[in-house]
């Protein structure tokens, strides 16, 4: 698959990016609109019957419509975006009236006050947001005013690589060097990092997340950006745990995770995320190497920072993680050192298999697979993923047929037979096992 880019043109004007300073100390700011043409299979694949219908409606009403944000970034990277957001010069009321006049179904009206209308055409949802300017921000939410100025909307976005627009004719509109940064694997805030962060403190974590996605190597940060993060870290205290956890999970399964988490500690961010003050950085670094290319769950990676069960519980209080995530963390913390492969080279998986059979928990196999990733046991992981849990062939009914009626005795015998079955490598069949039972 080849992405073709054709340069269309460029114009200059004022911007948020400093270019020179006058003798009096006044900083002169410059900006430029960079445009070019995108043609790629990924871009063409977006033009479903639904999108074609949406485009026709906007064109007929003479409203501008462009692809916005992350989808543009992904398309420029030769990827098909999972989600596509659209921006328009039309107001929410105009968009709503246009769709209603055409008989288009509208859903999820909760975003309307923020300027987002969601329409459903040809079994596909389309989120379309009016261009906005942030009037008042408190670090979590913003009061907005609608605009028809594409540059003003781009200016309020977090990172340059997320501030681009793409016309449905393939024209890229880039006001803040996002395309250049993307080509050079640079992650930068739009304009002043301190200002962007103060508008929404969660942008600290978004910076780390996109660094893990875009940057080629660790440590390639702008010093002013890091200082802005350090100065504003305390603002994360006002962000809900659920929002933090969504971002942190993506960081944990991205690139450069060991570097980024260490940086969070250095910049005094970690404490506001519910992470232990004295995290086990050495163990974390080891596990990050173990899980490379094994697709671990975020909790598997994060647990390596914890030293005691209370670390998991404190993090849960801050981030409101799911019950399954908390239980996985506690399981890994308890068994990461004592549940290891057997010394018998012929049956290295035996301790893990025994645990699964003894626990009888529905998610036991999943937990064991995460433990094997944690321990870096790639070959054993593949064997475990291909292993089918055998069924213990004897039941209480079989023992009652032999004349054993005491519930307590049946329970004891079943456990003894299960132990014998495990020793056989789960090979013994019912008749052979029952031959061990002395009829009462």
């Amino acid at each position: 698959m080849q992405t073709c880019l054709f340069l269309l043109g460029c114009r200059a004007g004022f911007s948020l990016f400093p270019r020179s300073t006058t003798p009096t100390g006044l900083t002169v700011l410059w900006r430029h609109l960079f445009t070019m043409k995108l043609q790629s299979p990924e871009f063409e694949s977006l033009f479903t019957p639904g999108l074609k219908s949406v485009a026709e409606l906007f064109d007929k009403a003479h409203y501008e419509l462009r692809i916005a944000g992350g989808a543009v970034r992904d398309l420029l990277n030769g990827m098909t975006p999972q989600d596509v957001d659209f921006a328009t010069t039309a107001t929410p009321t105009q968009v709503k009236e246009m769709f209603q006049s055409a008989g288009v179904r509208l859903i999820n009206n909760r975003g309307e006050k923020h300027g987002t209308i969601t329409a459903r055409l040809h079994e596909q949802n389309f989120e379309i947001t009016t261009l906005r300017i942030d009037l008042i921000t408190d670090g979590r939410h913003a009061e907005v005013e609608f605009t028809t100025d594409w540059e003003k909307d781009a200016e309020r976005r977090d990172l340059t690589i997320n501030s681009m627009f793409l016309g449905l004719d393939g024209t890229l509109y880039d006001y803040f060097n996002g395309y250049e940064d993307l080509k050079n694997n640079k992650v930068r805030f739009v304009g002043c990092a301190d200002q962007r962060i103060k508008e929404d403190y969660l942008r600290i974590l978004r910076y780390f997340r996109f660094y893990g996605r875009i940057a080629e190597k660790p440590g390639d940060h702008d010093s002013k950006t890091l200082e802005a993060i350090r100065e504003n870290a305390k603002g994360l205290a006002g962000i809900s745990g659920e929002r933090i956890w969504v971002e942190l999970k993506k960081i944990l399964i991205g690139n450069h995770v060991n570097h980024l988490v260490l940086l969070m500690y250095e910049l005094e961010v970690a404490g506001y995320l519910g992470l232990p003050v004295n995290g086990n950085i050495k163990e974390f670094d080891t596990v990050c190497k173990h899980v490379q290319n094994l697709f671990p769950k975020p909790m598997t990676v994060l647990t390596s920072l914890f030293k005691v069960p209370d670390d998991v519980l404190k993090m849960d209080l801050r981030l409101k993680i799911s019950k399954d995530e908390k239980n996985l963390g506690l399981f890994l913390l308890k068994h990461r050192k004592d549940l290891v492969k057997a010394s018998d080279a012929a049956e290295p998986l035996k301790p893990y298999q025994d645990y699964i059979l003894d626990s009888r928990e529905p998610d036991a196999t999943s937990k064991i697979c995460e433990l094997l990733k944690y321990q870096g046991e790639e070959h054993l992981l593949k064997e475990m993923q291909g292993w089918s849990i055998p069924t213990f062939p004897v039941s209480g009914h079989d023992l009652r047929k032999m004349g054993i009626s005491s519930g307590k005795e049946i329970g004891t015998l079943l456990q003894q037979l299960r132990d014998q079955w495990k020793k056989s490598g789960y090979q013994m069949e019912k008749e052979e096992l029952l031959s061990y039972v002395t009829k009462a």
Side-chain angles (χ1 to χ4, degrees):
M1 296 293 186
Q2 185 176 9
T3 300
C4 298
L5 303 173
F6 300 94
L7 181 63
L8 288 183
C10 175
R11 67 172 173 80
F14 287 102
S15 172
L16 291 176
F17 296 110
R19 298 297 185 190
S20 62
T21 304
T22 67
T24 60
L26 177 65
T27 300
V28 178
L29 302 173
W30 299 93
R31 71 174 170 234
H32 68 272
L33 169 62
F34 174 79
T35 60
M36 66 185 183
K37 201 81 167 183
L38 170 68
Q39 292 181 352
S40 71
E42 294 81 14
F43 176 56
E44 296 299 329
S45 72
L46 301 183
F47 287 85
T48 60
L51 178 53
K52 290 177 182 178
S53 296
V54 169
E56 288 173 7
L57 287 171
F58 274 83
D59 186 57
K60 184 178 179 180
H62 303 292
Y63 300 139
E64 290 184 87
L65 181 70
R66 298 175 186 172
I67 299 169
V72 182
R73 180 196 66 241
D74 290 345
L75 287 167
L76 290 172
N77 270 337
M79 301 164 55
T80 301
Q82 293 183 341
D83 299 301
V84 181
D85 295 324
F86 296 87
T88 182
T89 52
T91 66
T93 300
Q94 289 172 328
V95 175
K96 193 174 180 180
E97 290 175 350
M98 179 189 68
F99 281 132
Q100 289 175 335
S101 297
V104 174
R105 178 187 169 199
L106 301 180
I107 61 175
N108 188 20
N109 61 5
R110 289 177 297 178
E112 190 172 338
K113 65 180 180 180
H114 301 295
T116 300
I117 300 295
T118 304
R120 186 164 180 82
L121 294 87
H122 296 274
E123 304 301 314
Q124 189 176 1
N125 294 345
F126 295 89
E127 283 195 1
I128 300 160
T129 303
T130 300
L131 299 179
R132 298 176 291 180
I133 300 171
D134 290 343
L135 296 178
I136 302 173
T137 59
D138 63 3
R140 292 181 298 171
H141 311 102
E143 290 185 22
V144 301
E145 178 181 83
F146 301 127
T147 182
T148 57
D149 189 329
W150 291 95
E151 184 174 346
K152 289 291 185 184
D153 186 277
E155 188 177 311
R156 58 175 286 277
R157 295 175 182 263
D158 55 1
L159 304 170
T160 60
I161 57 174
N162 295 334
S163 69
M164 296 176 282
F165 300 104
L166 186 66
L168 298 187
D169 64 349
T171 301
L172 176 72
Y173 299 88
D174 175 16
Y175 297 92
F176 298 104
N177 300 323
Y179 177 61
E180 193 69 22
D181 286 339
L182 193 61
K183 283 198 304 180
N184 294 320
N185 305 106
K186 295 289 185 182
V187 182
R188 292 191 302 113
F189 284 100
V190 173
C192 174
D194 183 72
Q195 182 181 344
R196 292 288 85 79
I197 292 171
K198 281 184 166 64
E199 291 166 352
D200 183 354
Y201 292 108
L202 193 66
R203 286 174 171 174
I204 290 174
L205 296 187
R206 284 177 60 80
Y207 172 83
F208 289 136
R209 169 158 71 94
F210 281 104
Y211 191 93
R213 286 185 62 177
I214 302 299
E216 285 190 324
K217 57 185 179 181
D220 189 18
H221 305 275
D222 178 75
S223 59
K224 291 182 179 179
T225 296
L226 297 186
E227 188 57 32
I229 290 173
R230 183 193 300 276
E231 290 297 318
N232 289 285
K234 57 183 177 296
L236 286 166
I239 302 297
S240 72
E242 292 87 346
R243 291 182 71 202
I244 287 175
W245 185 224
V246 168
E247 292 294 331
L248 186 56
K249 283 191 287 188
K250 294 174 182 178
I251 294 169
L252 290 166
I253 56 176
N255 297 323
H256 315 309
V257 58
N258 48 349
H259 160 71
L260 292 172
V261 169
L262 179 60
L263 193 58
M264 290 179 194
Y265 274 96
E266 291 176 355
L267 299 178
E268 301 176 2
V269 169
Y272 298 103
L273 310 181
L275 303 184
V277 176
N278 297 310
N280 193 341
I281 298 297
K282 184 177 179 180
E283 177 79 356
F284 184 80
D285 187 61
T286 298
V287 171
C288 284
K289 294 172 183 174
H290 282 170
V291 300
Q292 283 183 9
N293 304 316
L294 298 183
F295 305 103
K297 293 181 178 180
M299 199 66 198
T300 301
V301 181
L302 190 59
T303 300
S304 60
L305 278 175
F306 304 144
K307 297 178 180 178
V308 293
D310 197 46
D311 289 338
V312 180
L313 302 180
K314 286 180 179 177
M315 192 201 73
D316 179 36
L317 285 175
R318 174 65 181 102
L319 301 185
K320 307 294 189 297
I321 63 177
S322 71
K323 182 179 179 181
D324 286 344
E325 288 167 335
K326 181 172 72 172
N327 287 341
L328 175 60
L330 293 171
F331 166 81
L332 292 171
L333 198 58
K334 180 179 180 180
H335 295 290
R336 61 188 177 186
K337 301 301 181 185
D338 60 20
L339 182 49
V340 296
K341 64 182 178 183
S343 55
D344 182 356
E347 294 184 297
L349 268 182
K350 191 74 166 43
Y352 303 103
Q353 294 167 329
D354 286 350
Y355 176 88
I356 292 171
L357 289 164
D358 290 341
S359 72
R360 305 180 199 180
E361 297 174 1
D363 63 344
T365 301
S366 174
K367 286 179 178 176
I368 287 296
C369 285
E370 292 305 306
L371 177 61
L372 289 169
K373 294 174 188 178
Y374 186 105
Q375 296 170 338
E377 299 288 359
E378 184 174 0
H379 296 299
L380 294 185
L381 173 65
K382 290 178 180 177
E383 287 186 44
M384 178 59 69
Q385 290 171 333
W387 182 65
S388 297
I389 302 175
T391 302
F392 180 53
V394 178
S395 67
H397 180 68
D398 295 319
L399 297 180
R400 280 190 287 271
K401 284 170 62 177
M402 296 179 67
I404 302 169
S405 58
S406 167
K408 183 177 181 181
E409 187 178 358
I410 288 174
T412 301
L413 285 171
L414 282 175
Q415 186 56 54
Q416 291 173 350
L417 293 176
R418 181 179 284 273
D419 291 340
Q420 197 68 31
W421 177 64
K422 284 163 56 179
K423 289 178 183 178
S424 74
Y426 325 113
Q427 298 300 312
M428 291 179 69
E429 298 183 356
K430 180 191 292 187
E431 291 73 18
E432 187 177 1
L433 287 167
L434 292 178
S435 68
Y436 281 80
V437 180
T438 302
K439 190 174 179 179

